[in-house]
Amino acid sequence: QAQLVESGGGLVQAGGSLRLSCVASGAILAINEMGWYRQAPGNERESVAYILNDGTIDYKDSVKGRFTISRDNAKKTVYLQMESLKPEDTAVYYCHAILQDDSIYFDDYWGQGTQVTVSS
């Protein structure tokens, strides 16, 4: 069974930076999409950024120019570099991947979440 494990969350002042990492492990045959979602209290989970196998990248409008997503396929790892953080970026950040484990299907996998808190 594949799993995703995030790291790198924490508390930072507004204007500061954080880097999130997510490693996929277990029985993995292929990984298609990797990305990050976030969920603030009282809000729905929303997509922040994703990167496809072909290198296609997309960002939520409010993080464009501040966040950078990257991926190391050899390490099965996706990163989210977050700059110029704002209090409204405060949320639990979840790693997401669409991957093929030991079955023939691609499925959605989620990490356990890591808290990012930006103080004003």
Side-chain angles (χ1 to χ4, degrees), residues 22-80:
C22 171
V23 180
S25 63
I28 298 171
L29 298 178
I31 302 176
N32 183 2
E33 175 181 325
M34 298 190 82
W36 295 91
Y37 283 68
R38 70 185 181 188
Q39 186 168 20
N43 291 355
E44 293 186 353
R45 190 173 297 189
E46 61 182 9
S47 176
V48 176
Y50 67 81
I51 179 168
L52 304 182
N53 256 346
D54 64 2
T56 300
I57 289 174
D58 195 25
Y59 296 98
K60 176 180 175 61
D61 284 346
S62 63
V63 308
K64 286 180 180 177
R66 300 188 298 120
F67 290 10
T68 302
I69 190 170
S70 60
R71 179 172 166 175
D72 186 330
N73 289 327
K75 294 182 179 180
K76 298 185 179 67
T77 300
V78 63
Y79 306 95
L80 186 68

Side-chain angles (χ1 to χ4, degrees), residues 1-9 19-26 28 31 34-36 75-80 92-97 99 109-115:
Q1 183 77 6
Q3 62 176 351
L4 305 177
V5 178
E6 305 109 331
S7 61
R19 187 191 196 210
L20 306 183
S21 300
C22 171
V23 180
S25 63
I28 298 171
I31 302 176
M34 298 190 82
W36 295 91
K75 294 182 179 180
K76 298 185 179 67
T77 300
V78 63
Y79 306 95
L80 186 68
V92 177
Y93 283 69
Y94 295 91
C95 180
H96 170 257
L99 61 85
Y109 283 81
W110 296 90
Q112 80 284 359
T114 185
Q115 178 69 46

